[in-house]
Amino acid sequence: MQKIKAFLDANPDLVKELLTTNPSYVLPLGSLALLTTRLPQQDGRGKAPFAKVVMAQDRGGAIKGTRVDLFCGSGPDAEYLAGHLTSWSHVYLPVSRVFLEEKEAAKAE
């Protein structure tokens, strides 16, 4: 997060373009999921468990491989979190039974 902020501060003419265009995505925008992970604590007490229902709200072009971009809010605490998120996460996506049945039927054809 700190490197991104420094880059944007040094290149203010690119901010609008970078924030409004980003072609990559994994989850369709608006998808709901359960995210579990551990968040670092600023006071050095290790990491605290985190489990929340989250929504896919952007397309995260900087995210490569099996990473999750978790928006942590704004302000110093959020900035600290965003720059220190390194824990493994689990993402659980609800899928309708009808969808799974249709997929299985299509395979059988």
Side-chain angles (χ1 to χ4, degrees), residues 21-90:
T21 61
N22 204 322
S24 68
Y25 69 94
V26 175
L27 302 176
L29 295 180
S31 295
L32 296 177
L34 172 65
L35 173 71
T36 63
T37 189
R38 298 178 57 77
L39 299 180
Q41 304 298 293
Q42 274 193 359
D43 57 13
R45 293 184 302 165
K47 297 182 177 185
F50 174 89
K52 299 282 183 190
V53 173
V54 295
M55 179 186 290
Q57 295 181 319
D58 71 22
R59 296 174 186 234
I63 302 166
K64 304 293 183 217
T66 56
R67 298 201 173 270
V68 173
D69 183 8
L70 177 63
F71 176 68
C72 299
S74 59
D77 291 339
E79 188 174 317
Y80 176 84
L81 281 175
H84 293 86
L85 292 174
T86 58
S87 296
W88 282 92
S89 300
H90 297 274

